[in-house]
Amino acid sequence: MTVLVSISAMVFNILTLIVVLFQLALALGMPWGSYAMGGKFPGKYPPGMRMGAIVQAIVLLAIAAIVLSRSGLFVPSWDGFANKAIWFVVAFSAISTVLNLITRSKWERRIWAPVSVLLLVTSVVVAVG
């Protein structure tokens, strides 16, 4: 893989780790609900949404592993799987970008839309690299 692919994979994973930490903070009761899910749950998430945040964190960690594997930086033996799964990551990132751009929450648009765009761009670089 090229240096650009490796850098893109690292940027993707650093940003994903930030999002995972944010989701875990929501799950633990941080009052940041207005910064996620369109601001539908301002303040602390209710119990069901807290579980959802944990599930989302787990999904994001799996996605991060796919990107790292595709780039050759983590579990290169997953290469066959990662070569296909990376396109799921690209699609997931594209959907996330659209949702963060159209959300009613201005804070979600300001904070998470740029992050989503970067995740989309870096996932595409890794996918085509």
Side-chain angles (χ1 to χ4, degrees):
M1 290 288 162
T2 68
V3 172
L4 179 60
V5 170
S6 295
I7 291 171
S8 293
M10 294 307 296
V11 168
F12 184 95
N13 276 271
I14 290 167
L15 292 173
T16 300
L17 179 60
I18 291 167
V19 179
V20 165
L21 292 173
F22 174 75
Q23 291 297 327
L24 293 176
L26 287 172
L28 291 172
M30 291 302 294
W32 299 338
S34 58
Y35 298 94
M37 299 298 291
K40 186 175 180 181
F41 303 98
K44 292 182 179 183
Y45 265 7
M49 290 304 297
R50 289 183 186 193
M51 288 304 300
I54 291 170
V55 170
Q56 188 165 352
I58 292 167
V59 169
L60 289 168
L61 289 172
I63 284 172
I66 291 167
V67 171
L68 282 176
S69 179
R70 170 71 177 124
S71 69
L73 297 173
F74 176 72
V75 193
S77 61
W78 286 6
D79 195 40
F81 167 74
N83 288 342
K84 293 177 183 79
I86 191 67
W87 295 107
F88 167 79
V89 175
V90 170
F92 184 91
S93 298
I95 292 167
S96 176
T97 298
V98 169
L99 293 176
N100 280 304
L101 289 170
I102 66 170
T103 181
R104 290 184 218 162
S105 168
K106 74 175 182 179
W107 291 110
E108 199 170 353
R109 278 192 312 276
R110 288 181 182 174
I111 296 169
W112 299 120
V115 170
S116 295
V117 169
L118 286 171
L119 289 171
L120 176 58
V121 169
T122 54
S123 68
V124 168
V125 169
V126 172
V128 298

